[in-house]
Amino acid sequence: MTQRSMAELEAKLDYFLDSPADVGTVELVVRRPDVDQREVLDEGELDPAVGLVGDTWIERGSKRTEDGASHPDMQLNVMNARIISYIAGDPDRRALAGDQLYLDLDITEANLPAGTRLALGTAVIEVTEQPHRGCAKFADRFGLDALRFVNSPHRRELRLRGLNAKVVTPGVVRPGDKVTKVA
């Protein structure tokens, strides 16, 4: 199992940040049917009520809601495909990050502030303000340096660990689909 050092990750920062700003690509769609399970999909259905159909977001609940229900602004976890591809090393390990959508797109706060809508496939999602941070599982799978790198407090605006989003227009998304900002 490859675990990248902080020096290796720092050396690739410019590459990670060089993702397209306006028109990117969906690289991977992943459903989480149960805890610690991943299904890489050829096609995913996005729905405003449940997020990615067949994913367990709705059942998981959230510590960020008063009643423990699923947080409506955390339906989808989105990560930059370049970052996870490098961190994971083996392409088959990318899905272990736990996100549903992996995009070759600049997902920094400067490029995609909360409220920005993205069209991908036939669906539209909206970036939310809820932060997305790495956890102990991320460290277990990719190493402590990887966790520290993506959670770096002085780089939070870069969203190296990713962002949260919600579905606003239902539709289908596939790897290879273009992803664009909606005016």
Side-chain angles (χ1 to χ4, degrees):
M1 176 172 69
T2 302
Q3 290 194 353
R4 306 291 187 186
S5 70
M6 185 64 77
E8 290 174 309
L9 293 163
E10 294 282 351
K12 297 293 276 186
L13 184 61
D14 287 343
Y15 168 70
F16 302 149
L17 298 176
D18 197 35
S19 291
D22 296 316
V23 180
T25 308
V26 176
E27 297 291 328
L28 197 62
V29 179
V30 180
R31 176 171 45 214
R32 305 165 307 177
D34 207 345
V35 175
D36 294 328
Q37 291 184 0
R38 305 289 184 269
E39 292 177 359
V40 176
L41 303 175
D42 293 328
E43 174 179 290
E45 181 182 348
L46 299 181
D47 179 271
V50 298
L52 176 61
V53 174
D55 186 80
T56 57
W57 162 78
I58 196 86
E59 291 95 25
R60 288 175 183 237
S62 175
K63 295 176 186 172
R64 297 186 194 176
T65 59
E66 286 185 29
D67 63 359
S70 296
H71 198 296
D73 288 343
M74 299 173 72
Q75 277 185 333
L76 299 172
N77 303 133
V78 180
M79 190 169 186
N80 179 287
R82 293 180 186 205
I83 295 172
I84 193 55
S85 291
Y86 185 70
I87 288 174
D90 178 348
D92 291 337
R93 297 190 71 240
R94 297 174 298 173
L96 293 175
D99 301 81
Q100 294 102 324
L101 300 172
Y102 299 83
L103 310 178
D104 188 17
L105 184 72
D106 175 353
I107 65 168
T108 62
E109 286 181 16
N111 192 51
L112 301 179
T116 302
R117 291 188 173 190
L118 300 172
L120 56 166
T122 60
V124 176
I125 65 173
E126 182 177 301
V127 176
T128 66
E129 290 188 27
Q130 286 297 314
H132 183 37
R133 304 279 185 259
C135 61
K137 286 182 180 183
F138 192 88
D140 289 344
R141 293 169 183 154
F142 304 114
L144 193 53
D145 277 355
L147 178 68
R148 288 181 178 147
F149 179 75
V150 300
N151 278 354
S152 173
H154 68 281
R155 292 198 185 119
R156 292 239 165 110
E157 74 282 355
L158 300 179
R159 292 189 180 132
L160 299 174
R161 178 57 190 97
L163 60 81
N164 279 296
K166 63 184 178 183
V167 180
V168 292
T169 303
V172 174
V173 61
R174 297 175 183 89
D177 283 348
K178 295 293 180 208
V179 54
T180 58
K181 293 183 205 176
V182 176

